[in-house]
Amino acid sequence: MIPQNSVRVYLALGSTDLRKAINGLSVLVEQAMGLNPFCGDLFVFCNRRQNIIKILYWDENGFCLWYKRLEKHRFKWPQLPEQVLTISGKQLSWLLAGLDFSSAHQRLHYRHVS
C-alpha cells in the first residue's frame, strides 16, 4: 500500500480512539483535521498504545480502511504539538516498517566548489 506521488499522506497526531470505523474517522478528517475525506488522500491514525494504525482513504466509489497491528513493538508515532502532519509516501513506508521517519534519512545538500 504505497501511495502514488500525487496522493498526500496526513497523520492525525496524538492518539485516536480506533474503535471508530469509516464513518467516525471520516468525520474526524472533516471536522478535527479540516480536510476533505473524499479527495483520495491517505489519512493515518494511531491509537494511544501506538501499536495500531488505521489508514482511511476514498477509492473512486467508496471508502477503504487499512489496518495494521503490531504484536510486540510500537510505531514511532511523532509527538508534535501540531494536530496534522503531512508526510511523503516514502515516510509512510518507513513508519509502517517501524522506523522513525523523521530521522531515518536526512536530505543532504551539496555545494559545488570551484
Side-chain angles (χ1 to χ4, degrees):
M1 164 154 167
I2 305 301
Q4 299 175 6
N5 290 337
S6 61
V7 175
R8 290 179 298 257
V9 179
Y10 297 99
L11 302 186
L13 298 181
S15 62
T16 301
D17 178 359
L18 292 186
R19 292 176 292 182
K20 294 182 187 308
I22 289 172
N23 292 343
L25 293 175
S26 64
V27 167
L28 281 178
V29 169
E30 193 168 35
Q31 294 180 357
M33 298 171 77
L35 298 167
N36 178 6
F38 299 99
C39 65
D41 294 333
L42 303 181
F43 302 98
V44 185
F45 304 89
C46 189
N47 67 339
R48 180 169 301 163
R49 293 182 55 212
Q50 298 178 344
N51 67 331
I52 298 173
I53 280 184
K54 283 188 176 181
I55 301 174
L56 176 74
Y57 60 98
W58 179 259
D59 184 31
E60 296 183 17
N61 59 359
F63 280 108
C64 297
L65 187 60
W66 190 88
Y67 181 99
K68 181 171 184 174
R69 181 183 74 198
L70 298 178
E71 294 300 323
K72 290 190 175 189
H73 300 287
R74 303 285 180 252
F75 291 106
K76 307 291 190 226
W77 195 250
Q79 302 299 317
L80 300 170
E82 292 87 6
Q83 190 172 6
V84 178
L85 179 66
T86 305
I87 63 172
S88 69
K90 185 181 287 190
Q91 288 173 313
L92 176 61
S93 297
W94 293 337
L95 175 66
L96 294 175
L99 301 173
D100 182 356
F101 69 86
S102 64
S103 64
H105 294 283
Q106 294 182 5
R107 183 176 294 249
L108 298 178
H109 299 280
Y110 292 98
R111 222 172 49 152
H112 183 271
V113 178
S114 306

